[in-house]
Amino acid sequence: MEHLYAPWRMEYIGGTPEPGCLFCRAREADAGQDRHNLLVWRGPDAIVMLNKFPYNSGHVMVAPRAHVPSLEDLDDDDALALHRALTLALRALRRELAPEGFNVGVNIGRVAGAGIPDHVHLHAVPRWNGDTNFMPVLAETKVINEHLSATAQKLRAALAAG
């Protein structure tokens, strides 16, 4: 039997989350903490960060400055900033990871799958032909082919370049 060693998953399975809002914490933190927080881009009204527990390499979350639970709670400026940040992230992901497509979505409310229900955010998940296999179905394990820090470094450079 083959074994897949992924000790970082224990933090997800049994870890205690830090108090407060992940997105507000990351946005308000000193820029020196961006690597620790997996923040790859910060604008005045939105942020882009890697998902610590990704579905695929390059899985990012895009959050507005406004700490609101749903899209309809955003004012026009924050909604536009969120969309612009998503567009920047998609361009950077295309340049650096060359996906063949994306899943882009939002989970509003815990019943809909929102892990952070009080701060609306978008997910952008790069997809490649054949990126699904038996592992998630039979072993309930997803294989991520690149370390988060390597992906973060690529995306920071791409987002800084515009």
Side-chain angles (χ1 to χ4, degrees), residues 49-51 53-61 93 123-126 151:
M49 62 192 306
L50 283 171
N51 189 319
F53 308 106
Y55 290 113
N56 260 349
S57 292
H59 178 174
V60 296
M61 299 179 295
L93 288 163
H123 290 262
V125 180
T151 305

Side-chain angles (χ1 to χ4, degrees), residues 58-76:
H59 178 174
V60 296
M61 299 179 295
V62 183
R65 172 192 62 213
H67 181 85
V68 297
S70 188
L71 291 171
E72 70 267 20
D73 297 323
L74 294 171
D75 65 27
D76 289 346

Side-chain angles (χ1 to χ4, degrees), residues 2-56:
E2 297 277 336
H3 292 280
L4 179 64
Y5 182 66
W8 59 271
R9 295 281 304 161
M10 280 309 296
E11 184 180 342
Y12 178 71
I13 295 167
T16 304
E18 293 181 48
C21 173
L22 168 70
F23 303 112
C24 292
R25 248 191 347 266
R27 189 188 75 244
E28 294 164 4
D30 179 85
Q33 292 294 310
D34 286 356
R35 287 189 194 290
H36 171 75
N37 291 325
L38 298 175
L39 199 70
V40 294
W41 183 83
R42 67 170 63 233
D45 298 317
I47 60 170
V48 178
M49 62 192 306
L50 283 171
N51 189 319
K52 193 173 187 177
F53 308 106
Y55 290 113
N56 260 349

